[in-house]
Amino acid sequence: MRESGTVRLTTPLRKEDAVSLRAGDRVVLSGVLYTARDTAHKRLVEMLERGEPLPMDLEGQVIYFAGPSPTRPGEATGSIGPTTSYRMDPYSPRLIAAGLRGMIGKGSRSKAVREALQKFGAVYLGATGGAGALLARAVRKVEVIAFEDLGPEAVRRLEVAEFPAVVINDAHGGDLYEQGQGLFRRAGSGA
């Protein structure tokens, strides 16, 4: 649902939800997000390659590239800001092919990831780096579901309400970073 320039979505995402988004759209997510960083991604892909069941059904899910800081009493989580996404690039295409519908992080993605988003109808969202304490306010509940030995990088199931993000790469080849650079170049040339 679009209201005042913001798209409100509930996870898990349907393919049509992801395909309806365009680079630059502001979104707020409610429902479940999973956290995973590079070591967890590697393990998930290895499990897929061995034909083992994953700790969560990837179909329609959104993975947030984050590892929370320690939780203070009375809070669901500590600060939980995004990590740089390119470290997940070697693994993301395989997870997208297995049903992953969205990812949240910071920074640009590889050509292979952008191609997988288009092929399978998925989306990459950006969250504001340095705003982990603010993003934590959207988290209602946290549960470690896999790879507890990884500490803050374990896979966690987050229940969120109104988690803010912006579409960086859409399922149509749109790239917010490229769009922004184009606008900057045109403004600098006086066009």
Side-chain angles (χ1 to χ4, degrees):
M1 169 183 8
R2 262 184 215 275
E3 14 176 286
S4 67
T6 299
V7 181
R8 297 183 178 285
L9 295 170
T10 301
T11 62
L13 297 180
R14 299 170 302 158
K15 184 174 183 176
E16 49 269 26
D17 293 330
V19 171
S20 73
L21 298 171
R22 296 287 189 260
D25 283 350
R26 290 176 296 169
V27 299
V28 280
L29 298 170
S30 295
V32 172
L33 304 177
Y34 291 93
T35 65
R37 291 176 55 163
D38 46 334
T39 303
H41 273 69
K42 182 177 188 233
R43 289 184 186 182
L44 291 170
V45 168
E46 288 170 347
M47 291 174 77
L48 284 172
E49 298 305 321
R50 291 190 302 260
E52 297 173 6
L54 297 182
M56 74 285 225
D57 178 4
L58 281 182
E59 187 59 42
Q61 299 304 334
V62 177
I63 292 181
Y64 181 27
F65 306 149
S69 64
T71 304
R72 293 190 305 203
E75 296 181 359
T77 185
S79 179
I80 190 162
T83 195
T84 306
S85 301
Y86 75 84
R87 293 194 316 267
M88 276 53 75
D89 284 358
Y91 315 107
S92 293
R94 179 65 178 95
L95 297 176
I96 294 167
L100 182 66
R101 191 67 58 207
M103 297 160 289
I104 305 170
K106 67 179 181 181
S108 48
R109 304 305 303 273
S110 70
K111 181 179 179 186
V113 172
R114 295 189 316 267
E115 288 172 349
L117 295 174
Q118 292 176 64
K119 181 177 181 180
F120 295 102
V123 66
Y124 169 58
L125 308 170
T128 303
L134 292 173
L135 293 170
R137 293 180 184 176
V139 178
R140 301 295 179 253
K141 184 177 178 184
V142 178
E143 170 189 12
V144 174
I145 64 160
F147 316 138
E148 191 168 357
D149 61 301
L150 296 179
E153 295 189 31
V155 175
R156 287 174 167 72
R157 180 183 185 277
L158 308 179
E159 291 180 19
V160 300
E162 304 280 314
F163 187 94
V166 64
V167 179
I168 303 298
N169 297 113
D170 63 34
H172 309 282
D175 185 315
L176 184 61
Y177 295 139
E178 288 177 4
Q179 291 170 8
Q181 290 171 6
L183 288 172
F184 181 76
R185 281 191 292 276
R186 284 192 297 278
S189 69

